[in-house]
Amino acid sequence: MDKFLVKRPSPCKNKQEPLEMKGGELDCMRDGGEKKRPRSEMPGADEFLVHSPWKQIRAEGLNCDYKILFSKTEADKIFQELEKEVEYFEGDLTKVQVFGKWHNIPRKQVTYGDPELTYTYSGVTFSPKLWIPVLNRIRERITLATGHTFNFVLINRYKDGCDHIGEHRDDERELVPQSPIASVSFGACRDFFFRHGASRGKNASCHIEPVKLQLAHGSLLMMNYPTNVYWYHSLPTRKKVLAPRINLTFRKVMALAKK
């Protein structure tokens, strides 16, 4: 599936090789380009800057960009901070409604964001917890890399390969129309799939090849418009994976008028 991966020219002087595609996959390799720089004036910034080129992932209606955002040293540190500081939902907020029935979420989950916002999906409305420093640092780094700002984040923690998330689209009405979603991953690599909506199920109207990625520790995947219009994504069970993974999807959410 090399056809899905297009290397975008990097502004960095030192050219690097694109991530390898093995067996039709975007492999979990990290770019090795880490360069020491003077400390930034931005609070919480690390002394390492990753000069990682962007990779474009393209198919019919699929528009994503991928890069390594954090050095391994910084990603390891952030992962430990997330494990200590993030407080996940409990009770009824750990359930979702699917086809009229309530099910326990097969992972830990929580939302953080600006206080006036809410976010509803699978029959549950979430009010975000207030931003904490480690999340602000990640958010600021995304803005530096992309120019986009975000006011909300959904965090999913997968304790091992048994935790998972089924096929879905991030198309809730609270999202700013045509805004990107920034997905940052820490911890274990897991298979991540995109499947075109027209190719789902036994009565699929056409066959469009699914796209399989592996998102590296410290990586950023930008899901740009119109990806979530046409493509579903999922993180399936992988029982051989024993280590935890934390994924943060940063979003632009509108404050909707209360009924």
Side-chain angles (χ1 to χ4, degrees), residues 242-257:
L242 303 179
R245 172 182 186 263
I246 299 176
N247 177 255
L248 307 93
T249 47
F250 289 83
R251 304 151 190 257
K252 297 182 181 183
V253 172
M254 300 180 293
L256 299 180

Side-chain angles (χ1 to χ4, degrees), residues 3 48 61 69 77 110 113 141 162 174 185 198 202 245:
K3 61 187 177 182
F48 292 98
L69 189 63
K77 181 180 178 182
V110 69
R141 184 66 63 86
C162 292
E174 293 95 337
S185 299
K202 296 180 180 179
R245 172 182 186 263

